[in-house]
Amino acid sequence: MPWLRVHLRVDREQADSIADALERCGALAVMLEDAGNEVLFGSTGNDEPRLWAHTNLSALLSDDTEPSRFVGDVVALLGMDTPPTWAADRLPDQDWERAWMDRFTPLHVGGNLWICPSWHAPPPPPAVAVILDPGLAFGTGTHATTALCLDWLATNMLSGSEIIDFGCGSGILAIAALKLGARSAWAVDIDAAALAVTCENARRNDVGDRLSTAIPQSLPACVDADIVVANILADPLIQLAPRLSRLTRAGGVLLLSGMLEQQAAEVERHYAAAFSTETRIRDGWALLACRRSALNG
Ligand SMILES: C[S@@+](CC[C@H](N)C(=O)[O-])C[C@H]1O[C@@H](n2cnc3c(N)ncnc32)[C@H](O)[C@@H]1O
């Protein structure tokens, strides 16, 4: 059976209510996607899922739906003055879920490391596969900031090391490090939902027994690590400089990502006293690989 698909571009504040209205007006499925190239950061602070500033909503409808009437129903239901920008197309007969799943295939992120959705067979050894499905918690490896961190982890010796993933999102970086040979990891996030997703992802990857989670205030004071990874944003990275520096052992490495290329020098300045830094760039985003002197403690 063919389908009608209606796409609407909406703001974050409207996304939930419009998605709900799409279903109430007859959509059989609703998909939310980033309408820009935005990194999902932070928490709403009230345990609600986070969304992009501009979101594409796609509603799947039976083929005999009249699209302008459907959008009119949604607008009327919500009492909106003007309809959001929308467009419609027809989908040939196909398995909708299959089509969605087929968009996500195993992703090679560096060295032997792959990120693989659960519905694909993982690549055979020596490939190391992190099993991870697309979801709302940031971190499926497709964004340049995550990819920069994964590439560094995949191409450096992690055996036996202890890791802190500060701003863990889906837990992708901590889980990758554990699968690459790290001994143990702490995953830290201000968002309790991200910690729950991280635990579940660690369990599915058989590394749950080597991973601990905490919100920043609950991380035990005695915890430090050989490798600390923080893929957040330039401003929090600057504010967190004293803490992230303390968490990194002498001789250890602090990976800072989530900043634009033009912000890298300013972030680096706040870490320069304790670290020597190598900068890597991808798609306009920067990774600072900061090595702490083995002598300055
Ligand atoms: C860009 S995502 C990175 C997720 C994952 N580590 C990755 O590399 O794909 C940033 C994460 O940092 C968290 N975060 C933001 N500010 C933070 C802070 N001050 N302390 C700890 N976590 C923070 C957010 O909730 C979010 O999950």
Side-chain angles (χ1 to χ4, degrees), residues 249-252 274 276 291-297:
R249 291 180 186 150
S276 55
R291 187 166 291 279
R292 183 162 200 144
S293 159
L295 300 175
N296 65 358

Side-chain angles (χ1 to χ4, degrees), residues 28-236:
L28 304 167
V30 176
M31 194 160 93
L32 291 83
E33 289 178 298
D34 182 12
N37 185 23
E38 189 194 351
V39 191
L40 264 187
F41 293 106
S43 152
T44 56
N46 57 5
D47 287 341
E48 286 180 10
R50 294 155 293 146
L51 290 171
W52 307 275
H54 300 290
T55 299
N56 274 334
L57 294 176
S58 303
L60 188 72
L61 296 142
S62 65
D63 188 42
D64 57 1
T65 310
E66 212 286 296
S68 53
R69 174 174 297 182
F70 171 73
V71 173
D73 288 348
V74 171
V75 168
L77 181 66
L78 294 172
M80 299 170 87
D81 294 331
T82 48
T85 306
W86 67 275
D89 58 7
R90 305 265 166 196
L91 283 179
D93 189 9
Q94 63 175 314
D95 178 335
W96 169 255
E97 188 183 349
R98 186 77 252 160
W100 182 80
M101 288 164 79
D102 284 349
R103 295 178 49 209
F104 299 99
T105 53
L107 177 69
H108 180 229
V109 288
N112 285 331
L113 185 62
W114 291 73
I115 308 300
C116 185
S118 59
W119 51 83
H120 270 274
V128 174
V130 173
I131 310 301
L132 209 65
D133 290 341
L136 258 189
F138 186 95
T140 49
T142 51
H143 196 273
T145 58
T146 312
L148 282 162
C149 297
L150 290 169
D151 185 38
W152 192 97
L153 293 171
T155 50
N156 283 270
M157 183 57 75
L158 305 185
S159 291
S161 57
E162 294 179 343
I163 308 284
I164 298 172
D165 178 359
F166 208 96
C168 61
S170 64
I172 185 170
L173 301 178
I175 294 167
L178 290 169
K179 294 197 92 164
L180 289 164
R183 182 167 59 219
S184 63
W186 276 93
V188 180
D189 206 291
I190 50 172
D191 184 350
L195 297 181
V197 171
T198 293
C199 285
E200 175 57 18
N201 286 333
R203 192 191 58 73
R204 293 175 88 185
N205 280 278
D206 292 328
V207 297
D209 55 337
R210 291 186 283 139
L211 180 127
S212 310
T213 59
I215 55 170
Q217 308 86 287
S218 307
L219 187 67
C222 60
V223 169
D224 58 8
D226 306 298
I227 299 169
V228 178
V229 196
N231 175 13
I232 309 185
L233 265 182
D235 281 347

